[in-house]
Amino acid sequence: MNNILLSVQKINKSFGHSKALTDVSIDVRCGEFVAMLGPSGCGKTTLLRCISGFVTPDNGTISIGGVDITRVAPNRRPLNTVFQNYALFPHMTVLENVSYGPRRAGTPKAEARERAAEALAMVGLGEHGERLPAQMSGGQQQRVALARALVNRPKLLLLDEPLSALDLKLRKRMQIELKQLQEKLGIAFVFVTHDQEEAMAMADRIIVMSGGHVEQIGSGNEIYRKPATRFVADFIGDANFVSCTPAGNGTLRPSLGSEVIEHVQTRGAERFTAILRPEHISLMREEAPGMSMSAGVVEDVIDIGMLSTVLVRVGEQIVTCRRINDQATLTRGDAVKLGFRPRDLHVVEE
Ligand code: ATP
């Protein structure tokens, strides 16, 4: 595709004996918002550093706009990075902080200041240029850091957990602001986070990583509804894992529910796991047509206000169900029937 801005092809990176990245390939399109998501130590920062040039991969290639930059120095790459800790100069005013980059690159002072003022206006801080960073709130400092990256008019911005120092409320507000700004400017963002909600709320596509490799790349909707692996299903939201065995004629018999499900095998596996999200299970008194049913006993009810998480024992398995708190209360020991639509079982071949 010709609108690919960043292309990472089969990169590997080891630090001594520990392998941080294994055969990682990703593409980022012009103007796209991509989040890198995964647990601590999965390689997100290493991948971001390979793209920014602070880490050199052992092999593989990285190109931007079709030009190989794998071994190009960080300051010569057509991109900018926003770091977690902002890294603002405390003794310089906000305007000086933002104009520092263009000044170092040789831009005349007046022009650098003009561009800095423009970048500050973009992030809504046009009036604050003469303040020192210490006179700004956490959210404002984050926006200064963003302006400092935007002043260079990059096509690609790398953001390494840029909101993690903010409290939850401010973080949520900045998520919306950042997403709106990204859409307005049309700059591609590669955004590292370990917060799945943040990734879901902001990104066009999410790269889910674990143990140094890519597990799945897709929209938030795709990775939630059609997780490619058990790891992704477990990492994104809550999931029940239902083991299934082949039952002939392109069907599988799940260990939960009364109905077989259709599944076209692609790898000749013997055993399969299906994923069933808690919100797809109804707790019912009677059997309902079209539903796959199981009988169980309530083990525990966790009330979180509007919703309850209900843990139901079905044979050996504890099934996590979720329901809105506008129905009759359930308590431990109640007999219940679980019902779900067979098509809500999503099969993963292992
Ligand atoms: P976190 O969310 O905790 O920041 P991460 O997903 O960004 O984690 P990385 O920082 O990329 O993970 O680290 C991936 C692996 O590589 C880890 O096992 C880490 O210990 C190792 N690693 C990273 N940088 C170095 C280094 N400079 N020297 C040795 N090992 C490193």
Side-chain angles (χ1 to χ4, degrees):
M1 261 197 322
N2 58 5
N3 69 344
I4 287 177
L5 178 64
L6 168 72
S7 179
V8 173
Q9 291 301 319
K10 286 193 166 285
I11 63 167
N12 287 274
K13 179 68 192 174
S14 295
F15 295 105
H17 292 300
S18 104
K19 189 131 202 220
L21 296 175
T22 305
D23 276 341
V24 171
S25 297
I26 62 164
D27 284 331
V28 175
R29 301 177 191 127
C30 294
E32 191 178 26
F33 195 130
V34 170
M36 278 187 214
L37 178 67
S40 184
C42 72
K44 307 179 293 289
T45 304
T46 304
L47 176 55
L48 201 79
R49 289 198 181 133
C50 287
I51 299 168
S52 61
F54 294 105
V55 166
T56 307
D58 301 334
N59 50 37
T61 59
I62 301 171
S63 53
I64 294 184
V67 178
D68 187 338
I69 54 146
T70 318
R71 278 158 220 288
V72 171
N75 62 347
R76 306 193 74 86
R77 298 185 179 204
L79 54 82
N80 275 89
T81 307
V82 178
F83 296 99
Q84 202 174 98
N85 57 5
Y86 321 145
L88 300 177
F89 298 119
H91 59 285
M92 289 186 187
T93 66
V94 163
L95 192 76
E96 285 164 353
N97 260 285
V98 179
S99 57
Y100 180 80
R103 284 290 286 141
R104 278 208 57 179
T107 309
K109 190 169 180 187
E111 192 189 330
R113 287 178 74 88
E114 200 176 303
R115 273 174 50 190
E118 220 174 75
L120 281 170
M122 277 181 211
V123 299
L125 291 178
E127 309 292 306
H128 294 69
E130 295 313 316
R131 289 203 196 172
L132 291 170
Q135 297 168 316
M136 311 285 274
S137 72
Q140 287 170 331
Q141 289 186 32
Q142 180 55 57
R143 280 191 264 158
V144 177
L146 197 61
R148 208 172 44 172
L150 293 173
V151 74
N152 298 318
R153 299 168 187 162
K155 284 204 174 117
L156 175 63
L157 207 58
L158 309 179
L159 301 103
D160 191 358
E161 304 230 20
L163 307 181
S164 62
L166 307 177
D167 67 56
L168 187 65
K169 218 164 180 177
L170 182 55
R171 189 175 173 138
K172 297 247 180 233
R173 208 177 73 212
M174 288 297 292
Q175 286 172 2
I176 297 167
E177 275 187 24
L178 207 55
K179 174 75 187 144
Q180 286 171 344
L181 188 68
Q182 186 268 340
E183 279 173 4
K184 192 169 93 190
L185 299 177
I187 297 174
F189 275 25
V190 175
F191 187 100
V192 167
T193 180
H194 59 259
D195 178 342
Q196 51 161 295
E197 255 186 60
E198 187 160 282
M200 296 281 230
M202 300 175 85
D204 300 314
R205 283 190 307 153
I206 299 172
I207 300 167
V208 185
M209 296 182 67
S210 105
H213 69 269
V214 173
E215 289 272 335
Q216 186 170 6
I217 303 179
S219 67
N221 200 299
E222 278 163 359
I223 61 168
Y224 186 75
R225 295 196 192 288
K226 294 192 162 50
T229 63
R230 192 182 166 113
F231 173 87
V232 175
D234 209 14
F235 190 68
I236 311 288
D238 290 331
N240 293 293
F241 295 101
V242 179
S243 61
C244 303
T245 43
N249 294 330
T251 63
L252 297 176
R253 159 85 44 206
S255 62
L256 190 73
S258 50
E259 308 296 319
V260 293
I261 54 172
E262 285 174 26
H263 178 69
V264 180
Q265 286 197 41
T266 55
R267 280 189 269 150
E270 293 272 306
R271 290 194 69 80
F272 302 81
T273 300
I275 286 132
L276 183 60
R277 297 289 184 189
E279 67 273 21
H280 288 148
I281 305 173
S282 303
L283 293 168
M284 310 193 289
R285 291 227 174 80
E286 304 296 330
E287 300 201 352
M291 300 290 256
S292 188
M293 305 294 302
S294 283
V297 176
V298 173
E299 279 276 318
D300 205 355
V301 180
I302 301 139
D303 189 336
I304 50 163
M306 187 178 75
L307 298 172
S308 282
T309 297
V310 183
L311 304 180
V312 178
R313 176 177 291 284
V314 178
E316 296 285 291
Q317 186 165 11
I318 300 291
V319 183
T320 303
C321 312
R322 194 146 294 135
R323 64 180 216 154
I324 298 173
N325 282 340
D326 62 353
Q327 306 158 53
T329 45
L330 286 170
T331 47
R332 191 186 163 98
D334 284 349
V336 285
K337 286 196 167 64
L338 305 185
F340 58 88
R341 293 178 303 184
R343 67 160 196 242
D344 285 332
L345 277 178
H346 170 72
V347 178
V348 178
E349 291 187 25
E350 291 185 291

